[in-house]
Amino acid sequence: MAAASSPLPCCLLVVAAAMMLCTLQGAGAVTRQYQFDVQTTSVTRLCSTKSVVTVNGQYPGPTLFAREGDHVEVNVVNHSPYNMSIHWHGIRQLRSGWADGPSYITQCPIQPGASYVYKFTVTGQRGTLWWHAHISWLRATVHGPIVILPPAGVGYPFPAPNEEVPVMFGEWWTNDTEAVISQALQTGGGPNISDAYTINGLPGPLYNCSAQDTFKLKVKPGKTYMLRLINAALNDELFFSIANHTLTVVDVDAVYVKPFTVETLIIAPGQTSNVLLTAKPTYPGASYYMLARPYTTTQGTFDNTTVAGVLEYEDPCPTGGRKSVPIFAPTLPQINDTNAVSNFTAKLRSLASAEYPAAVPQVVDHRFFFTVGLGTHPCAVNGTCQGPNGSRFAASINNISFVLPTTALLQSHFTGKSNGVYASNFPYYPLQPFNYTGTPPNNTNVMNGTKVLVLPYGANVELVMQDTSILGAESHPLHLHGFNFFVVGQGFGNFDAFNDPAKFNLVDPVERNTVGVPAGGWVAIRFYADNPGVWFMHCHLEVHMSWGLKMAWLVQDGSRPDQKLPPPPLDLPKC
């Protein structure tokens, strides 16, 4: 792996993490500064070379390390030919919404040749998050891990691992991803599917011409490894398993959970999870595939391939003349195994300890009900479109397909100049109720709009998100910027407002920033609106976001100075 674009091998990833851990030892909260040079880089995968956008010439990009409580400053300089913005996925951004990153929501993009310094403080979070481009489909290659360590002197609430390794799942197209989504939006049809999945940028031996591009995790018998899993794929939830080994889940979305052990886990785009892998006590004389492949119930096409990494044991007798060892593969669930997904998510519970309590809102001030799913736009008169029945694919929340403005929502809100930019009348519930998971209505068209939902500061919010069967029931990983939320309930079929709330878990529900709305089902979340600003909420399947499955919350200022959004920084990019 000598090419400049190749990721660090596992041993160097671990060494780099160990070196950074040493540099973070013993320090109180400090300011950590990073330089991100966005540039085009030639990368070869599947025997094909193309120019991709990267940070610092690395694919995946560099790891951002910090401790809980640290202040972080990242100087992003855009040397690429594309507009650019970076989102720090899962960072709360308390009163620092100007640094959140989604283009045309909290900022105008950084134009070619320009720069912007993202400044934020890591407050009350520790674990694994990640950063990625938040404009068009550029996050396909512009992404990297965020490793947040506990404060100095504070340990993990589980046995400390011997080593920690980031494991980032990705999705690779041989063609230019910007051309892929551009063509899809022109034709109204589905985009061309990816050619491979990757682990830390590498497709692995199950793909043509890729045996040399395989992620290898080298382990020692008896040692424990914490894998910091991140799903950075554009359009696919993934099952993940390691042959003949179990994984103990200790954290999701940078929040500790009650540990539980599984053979296979599910991770949606946008989600992260820390899992403990304990190596076998003695050298097993074998290697083991680490496999990931998609979970989907879509009626459309998708990348039905499998990425493999290899778990290799350190051989105690490397000179013993052993030429090769057998390699074992795990058995993954069927591609559409929704039961496997719901069985896994049902195990997720907050730690809810004295040190790490679950501050679930017990009283609700505002209740909302959102439908999420696909739909259509009519084709232009005399046009030819490749969506369902000659229409164009669309996606919506409460039947509104969100249209990005040409100036940033947050700036428009802060300056009081919202006219012509956005409306504040996003519906609290579907204006035309129907049998959401039953036979779809004849009219599948959705409306366009740039609408926000306004919340007073300090509101306790309950939101039920209901999947629809329009164009087929699908799981939608919904990501909320600026907040964590508690997943208090979920189920299949249509949400029953009279009977389902009685089953909500208000004691130790899992706390996340990205949750899967179950295929043909619903999920209920609660959060406390303590962060003034404009906060994006969207499906983290990039194709659905491109089609409009997104909206924004506007949280008003509170009465005290520490409850108000500060003015924008002087270097905030202009549209």
Side-chain angles (χ1 to χ4, degrees):
M1 291 185 284
S5 59
S6 294
L8 289 168
C10 166
C11 56
L12 291 189
L13 281 168
V14 173
V15 170
M19 290 171 60
M20 182 58 73
L21 279 165
C22 289
T23 65
L24 300 186
Q25 294 285 334
V30 299
T31 296
R32 307 204 182 270
Q33 296 178 317
Y34 287 86
Q35 177 71 26
F36 276 22
D37 287 302
V38 179
Q39 61 198 73
T40 53
T41 306
S42 289
V43 176
T44 302
R45 295 290 184 271
L46 311 178
C47 274
S48 178
T49 301
K50 70 171 181 175
S51 179
V52 301
V53 182
T54 65
V55 166
N56 299 351
Q58 299 175 38
Y59 167 67
T63 299
L64 191 156
F65 290 90
R67 280 199 183 280
E68 180 183 344
D70 284 351
H71 184 70
V72 176
E73 297 184 357
V74 187
N75 182 34
V76 177
V77 183
N78 187 8
H79 306 280
S80 84
Y82 300 98
N83 282 346
M84 176 57 58
S85 71
I86 306 287
H87 171 52
W88 317 94
H89 184 114
I91 296 286
R92 280 290 317 272
Q93 299 290 1
L94 281 164
R95 298 180 63 240
S96 57
W98 305 107
D100 191 40
S103 285
Y104 303 107
I105 305 297
T106 58
Q107 68 167 95
C108 298
I110 306 167
Q111 297 179 20
S115 65
Y116 179 44
V117 181
Y118 291 89
K119 298 179 180 180
F120 55 87
T121 299
V122 180
T123 304
Q125 295 180 279
R126 78 294 303 168
T128 303
L129 296 171
W130 63 302
W131 58 264
H132 61 82
H134 212 303
I135 183 168
S136 191
W137 278 25
L138 291 169
R139 77 170 179 86
T141 52
V142 179
H143 59 250
I146 300 176
V147 171
I148 306 171
L149 302 171
V154 178
Y156 296 129
F158 47 83
N162 298 100
E163 292 181 3
E164 303 181 5
V165 187
V167 176
M168 202 161 202
F169 304 108
E171 201 166 0
W172 180 263
W173 276 257
T174 299
N175 291 329
D176 173 20
T177 48
E178 290 303 281
V180 169
I181 183 56
S182 175
Q183 180 188 26
L185 293 177
Q186 285 174 4
T187 65
N192 291 334
I193 61 172
S194 54
D195 296 287
Y197 299 106
T198 58
I199 298 178
N200 287 344
L202 301 169
L206 305 186
Y207 293 102
N208 288 339
C209 193
S210 298
Q212 77 284 2
D213 289 328
T214 299
F215 173 71
K216 295 182 179 179
L217 178 60
K218 298 187 187 303
V219 299
K220 296 179 180 178
K223 301 290 186 184
T224 299
Y225 300 80
M226 186 161 79
L227 309 184
R228 294 178 174 270
L229 305 178
I230 302 165
N231 188 350
L234 260 64
N235 294 316
D236 292 277
E237 302 184 54
L238 296 169
F239 289 119
F240 175 68
S241 183
I242 302 177
N244 295 11
H245 290 72
T246 57
L247 301 169
T248 300
V249 180
V250 293
D251 168 304
V252 296
D253 291 0
V255 181
Y256 296 133
V257 298
K258 292 182 173 70
F260 64 96
T261 300
V262 294
E263 293 181 352
T264 301
L265 58 80
I266 180 78
I267 185 165
Q271 292 182 337
T272 61
S273 185
N274 288 353
V275 301
L276 299 179
L277 164 72
T278 299
K280 295 180 181 298
T282 58
Y283 177 69
S287 292
Y288 304 90
Y289 275 136
M290 314 161 61
L291 298 185
R293 80 168 183 205
Y295 157 67
T296 183
T297 59
T298 180
Q299 296 179 1
T301 57
F302 62 96
D303 181 351
N304 185 13
T305 62
T306 303
V307 59
V310 179
L311 183 71
E312 291 184 347
Y313 278 75
E314 188 176 274
D315 191 340
C317 324
T319 57
R322 236 189 307 257
K323 290 184 178 173
S324 64
V325 296
I327 186 163
F328 295 97
T331 301
L332 289 169
Q334 293 297 308
I335 293 256
N336 62 351
D337 192 343
T338 297
N339 283 336
V341 174
S342 61
N343 288 341
F344 175 81
T345 55
K347 293 182 172 77
L348 292 167
R349 292 280 188 273
S350 283
L351 201 52
S353 64
E355 192 173 2
Y356 302 103
V360 191
Q362 299 294 311
V363 177
V364 172
D365 303 311
H366 299 273
R367 284 187 166 87
F368 305 102
F369 181 83
F370 289 0
T371 55
V372 297
L374 303 186
T376 55
H377 285 313
C379 196
V381 177
N382 298 326
T384 303
C385 295
Q386 297 177 8
N389 301 315
S391 67
R392 304 175 59 83
F393 271 114
S396 70
I397 299 177
N398 276 354
N399 209 45
I400 295 174
S401 184
F402 189 89
V403 179
L404 282 177
T406 54
T407 187
L409 295 181
L410 187 59
Q411 212 160 357
S412 305
H413 159 61
F414 187 83
T415 57
K417 298 176 181 175
S418 62
N419 283 353
V421 180
Y422 66 85
S424 300
N425 61 346
F426 190 89
Y428 290 12
Y429 46 81
L431 299 181
Q432 294 182 310
F434 60 98
N435 182 3
Y436 306 116
T437 56
T439 303
N442 292 329
N443 181 3
T444 59
N445 287 340
V446 300
M447 298 182 289
N448 281 338
T450 307
K451 298 174 183 286
V452 304
L453 200 157
V454 179
L455 292 173
Y457 181 91
N460 287 315
V461 178
E462 180 179 288
L463 168 65
V464 174
M465 292 181 282
Q466 171 75 59
D467 182 38
T468 72
S469 57
I470 297 175
L471 305 185
E474 271 188 71
S475 174
H476 298 278
L478 263 290
H479 171 49
L480 175 60
H481 290 228
F483 300 92
N484 280 351
F485 50 75
F486 292 94
V487 184
V488 296
Q490 58 186 39
F492 292 108
N494 296 340
F495 174 70
D496 182 338
F498 295 100
N499 296 310
D500 286 330
K503 306 171 204 162
F504 284 178
N505 175 7
L506 303 180
V507 177
D508 63 349
V510 68
E511 185 180 349
R512 311 206 67 142
N513 64 59
T514 305
V515 67
V517 180
W522 56 271
V523 65
I525 67 172
R526 288 187 180 183
F527 66 95
Y528 175 54
D530 62 348
N531 199 3
V534 177
W535 304 106
F536 212 15
M537 190 176 82
H538 58 87
C539 182
H540 223 282
L541 302 180
E542 215 63 24
V543 59
H544 292 174
M545 190 158 85
S546 298
W547 289 338
L549 212 166
K550 47 198 174 187
M551 58 81 69
W553 302 85
L554 193 162
V555 179
Q556 296 171 322
D557 281 348
S559 56
R560 300 202 318 251
D562 64 350
Q563 298 171 343
K564 298 181 188 299
L565 177 71
L570 295 176
D571 64 338
L572 185 74
K574 294 177 173 55
C575 284

